[in-house]
Amino acid sequence: MRIYNSLTRRKEEFIPLEEGKVKMYACGITVSGEAHIGHGYQALIYDVIRKYLEKKGFAVTYARNYTDVDDKIIAKSKETGIPADEYAAKMIENIDKVMAEFAVDEPSLWLKATENIGNITDFISQLIESGHAYAAPCGDVYFDVSSFKKYGCLSNRSVEDMLDGVRVENGEQKRSPADFTLWKAAKEGEISWDSPWGKGRPGWHIECSAMNRAAFGEQIDIHGGGRDLIFPHHENEIAQTESLTGKQFAKYWTHNGLIKVNGQKMSKSLGNSLLLEDLLKKYTNEAIKFALLQNNYRNDINVTDGLFPEAEKHLTDFYTVIKAVEDKFGKGENGNREIDEKFNADMDEDFNTALALSELFGFFKKISAKLAANDKSAADDVLQIRKTYSLLGLFKKDASAYLAEAAQKNAEEIPAEVLAIAEKRWQAKKDKNWAEADALRAEAEKSGYVIKDSKDGYTVVKK
C-alpha cells in the first residue's frame, strides 16, 4: 500500500512505526459555527482512511480534535452574549448531530483544547526551559522560530518567504515577526485559565501538539487535515513537537483538497458556504458521499449545481438494479472476490476512491446483463458490492427504503409547475393519449427534469 506524504512530496510504501498498529490524528473543527461541506468532506476522508487501514489488518487508534477556544469563538460569544464555553459546547452538540446524520463514525478518541489546558501549559513550559520559546512581559508566550532549523520543511518555504505580508499586531512583543503565539494573555471579559505567565488561553497551534503527545506519546504514524493547514498550522506543529522531543513527529503527512463553489473558494466572506445540514435536507447522505469521493482526496472539489443531483441519480440507478436483483434472486451467498480485489487495488494506491467508484459503472452493467439473462450470480455480485463499498458509506440501506428516501428528498426540490406537468402526463398515459404524454415529457425535460416511469407510477428527477 502506498500513500502520498506531503512532507516528502511523493508516494511512499506505508510502513507504520510499530508493526500492525497505526496511530492517526486528524485536525478537526474549530467550533465557531455550524458544520459545512468542507468539514464533512474532511471527516469523511479520514473515516475512509481509518476503515481501509483496519481492513488491511492494522489496529488503528484514530484521534480527532475540536478547537473549542480561539479568537473566532470569543468573537461569536461577544456577538451572541453566550459565554464562550457554552457557545462552543452548543456548537459541538449541533455538529455531532449533523455528523451522525451524515453517518461518519466516531473516532477512537475525541480531544478538546479546553480539556487539555494542563497538558498545553506543561508543553509550553518545557519549550521555554529548552530555549525554544520565551515569555513576553505582556503575558504572551511565543515560539522562537529561529531555534528550529528545519522550519519550513513541510510547506517547502523559507522563513523569508513566510514573512512576506506578515505584520506584528498591536501589543505583540515578538523578537521576530516569524515567531508565533503559544499562549495568549487574557483580555478583559475573555475566557481564561491560570498559567505560570498569568491568566490566558492557548494559541491555536500548540493545542494539537500537546493533545497528540498526551494521547499518543512522542510520535505518530499519520497526521492529516485540510491542505490549507499545511502552513502555518502543521508547520508550527512540527516545530513545536520536534523541538521538544528531538524525534520526527509524524511519519506521514496527508492533506485533503479544499471545497470550491462554482470555481470560487468556499468562505463565509463570499457568502457561499454550504452547510452540511442544508445539503442533508436535499440529498441522501450516500449521494453526498458519492459526489465527494468521486474526487481524488488530494484534489480540490468544485461544487457545481449539478454535482449532488448527478450523484443522487447514479445511486438511484444503482439501487434500482440492486432492488431488481434482490427481488428476483434474494440475497447472495458467496460474494464475488474479483470485485473486492479491484477495490483493494485501487485503494492501495493512495486511497483512490475516485477509481474505486468508477468501477461501479462496469460492475452494474454486468449485473444488469446477468439479471436479463436470469443469471443468479448477479445476487453474489450485489452482495459483494454491498460488503466492499460499505467502507465508503455506500449501499448500506435497504434498496426500497433508499429509493423512497431519494424520491422524497428529490420531490421537495421539484418546482410545483413541473410536478403538475408530470401529473398531467400520468393522466394522459392512463387515457392512452400517448402523443400528449410524450409532449408533456418533452416539456418537463426542457425545464431540466426527467419523468421516470415505474410499475407503481412515476418519479421526477433533475436532469
Side-chain angles (χ1 to χ4, degrees):
M1 183 175 71
R2 300 198 309 159
I3 68 174
Y4 183 86
N5 189 348
S6 300
L7 183 64
T8 60
R9 289 170 281 283
R10 65 175 183 265
K11 289 182 184 178
E12 299 177 357
E13 183 181 357
F14 180 71
I15 303 172
L17 295 164
E18 183 179 352
E19 186 176 356
K21 295 182 179 180
V22 176
K23 294 184 286 187
M24 184 171 82
Y25 180 95
C27 289
I29 302 174
T30 298
V31 294
S32 56
E34 304 288 353
H36 56 61
I37 187 60
H39 297 139
Y41 179 49
Q42 196 252 27
L44 173 63
I45 288 300
Y46 288 97
D47 185 47
V48 167
I49 290 175
R50 177 254 206 109
K51 287 173 179 172
Y52 189 66
L53 289 169
E54 289 175 339
K55 184 179 184 183
K56 296 288 286 186
F58 295 106
V60 181
T61 305
Y62 167 41
R64 287 179 66 80
N65 79 299
Y66 273 129
T67 295
D68 55 351
V69 58
D70 86 327
D71 292 339
K72 292 179 181 178
I73 294 168
I74 289 171
K76 282 289 187 179
S77 169
K78 291 177 180 177
E79 179 186 320
T80 60
I82 302 171
D85 55 345
E86 293 181 20
Y87 179 86
K90 180 61 178 174
M91 284 297 103
I92 289 173
E93 181 183 343
N94 292 352
I95 292 166
D96 284 346
K97 182 179 178 182
V98 173
M99 288 297 182
E101 187 178 348
F102 190 41
V104 172
D105 287 352
E106 295 278 324
S108 315
L109 300 170
W110 268 121
L111 305 173
K112 297 177 184 176
T114 59
E115 295 176 356
N116 282 271
I117 299 299
N119 292 325
I120 291 168
T121 55
D122 286 348
F123 200 113
I124 295 171
S125 293
Q126 291 174 53
L127 285 173
I128 293 173
E129 290 168 10
S130 61
H132 292 285
Y134 57 93
C138 64
D140 293 340
V141 180
Y142 299 103
F143 182 86
D144 181 359
V145 167
S146 69
S147 73
F148 185 66
K149 301 308 177 188
K150 286 172 54 182
Y151 195 75
C153 62
L154 182 64
S155 59
N156 199 28
R157 300 163 71 185
S158 68
V159 174
E160 290 73 23
D161 290 339
M162 297 173 196
L163 286 175
D164 286 346
V166 171
R167 63 188 180 90
V168 178
E169 300 290 342
N170 290 335
E172 288 188 329
Q173 299 176 348
K174 298 179 179 182
R175 293 175 184 169
S176 165
D179 296 347
F180 57 88
T181 306
L182 302 175
W183 186 262
K184 292 189 175 187
K187 296 177 183 177
E188 187 175 351
E190 289 185 350
I191 187 171
S192 63
W193 291 264
D194 291 328
S195 81
W197 319 285
K199 285 189 173 295
R201 56 188 170 86
W204 175 34
H205 313 300
I206 193 64
E207 297 172 6
C208 290
S209 287
M211 290 189 291
N212 255 296
R213 190 174 70 146
F216 293 122
E218 295 181 335
Q219 295 179 287
I220 60 174
D221 295 288
I222 298 174
H223 195 314
R227 196 179 64 243
D228 56 331
L229 299 182
I230 291 176
F231 182 84
H233 186 52
H234 289 164
E235 194 75 74
N236 291 351
E237 280 191 63
I238 290 174
Q240 296 160 164
T241 302
E242 296 189 8
S243 291
L244 190 64
T245 67
K247 299 177 182 178
Q248 184 180 38
F249 175 27
K251 190 172 181 182
Y252 304 92
W253 286 86
T254 60
H255 293 93
N256 62 274
L258 308 179
I259 301 288
K260 295 181 178 180
V261 179
N262 292 318
Q264 287 187 306
K265 181 181 177 181
M266 188 176 68
S267 69
K268 290 181 181 178
S269 62
L270 292 174
N272 63 352
S273 291
L274 298 173
L275 294 184
L276 190 54
E277 181 181 15
D278 291 342
L279 286 171
L280 286 165
K281 291 175 183 175
K282 299 178 181 179
Y283 310 105
T284 64
N285 57 31
E286 291 196 12
I288 298 171
K289 290 176 181 178
F290 188 94
L292 297 175
L293 295 174
Q294 287 180 103
N295 188 71
N296 182 296
Y297 79 93
R298 290 189 286 116
N299 295 338
D300 292 344
I301 297 177
N302 186 29
V303 177
T304 59
D305 293 340
L307 179 66
F308 298 113
E310 183 181 5
E312 193 81 86
K313 180 182 180 300
H314 289 321
L315 277 177
T316 297
D317 290 343
F318 293 152
Y319 265 110
T320 300
V321 175
I322 289 172
K323 183 178 186 303
V325 169
E326 291 179 342
D327 284 350
K328 188 171 187 177
F329 301 124
K331 306 292 184 182
E333 296 179 1
N334 301 314
N336 182 330
R337 187 175 175 181
E338 181 184 351
I339 289 172
D340 197 56
E341 286 176 347
K342 283 188 176 181
F343 178 87
N344 292 344
D346 296 338
M347 292 293 285
D348 277 347
E349 193 60 30
D350 195 30
F351 313 108
N352 196 338
T353 59
L355 186 54
L357 288 183
S358 72
E359 310 273 17
L360 285 170
F361 296 92
F363 294 154
F364 275 99
K365 185 176 181 180
K366 290 179 180 177
I367 292 169
S368 295
K370 288 181 178 182
L371 180 65
N374 204 31
D375 183 344
K376 292 183 179 180
S377 70
D380 287 329
D381 292 351
V382 166
L383 173 66
Q384 191 65 62
I385 285 173
R386 281 192 176 279
K387 284 183 175 180
T388 296
Y389 284 83
S390 66
L391 189 145
L392 304 184
L394 304 176
F395 307 116
K396 299 178 76 171
K397 300 178 182 179
D398 173 80
S400 294
Y402 180 88
L403 293 170
E405 179 189 0
Q408 180 185 13
K409 287 180 182 287
N410 193 65
E412 292 171 358
E413 295 299 306
I414 306 295
E417 57 269 24
V418 175
L419 292 174
I421 291 170
E423 190 59 31
K424 282 177 66 179
R425 178 180 173 278
W426 181 244
Q427 187 59 49
K429 286 192 68 179
K430 285 182 178 178
D431 297 338
K432 298 185 178 181
N433 189 341
W434 311 121
E436 184 179 1
D438 289 344
L440 289 166
R441 180 200 287 272
E443 186 178 347
E445 289 187 1
K446 284 181 182 178
S447 300
Y449 296 87
V450 176
I451 303 172
K452 291 190 169 187
D453 294 320
S454 68
K455 65 180 182 180
D456 301 317
Y458 64 88
T459 57
V460 184
V461 298
K462 294 176 183 175
K463 275 180 96 171

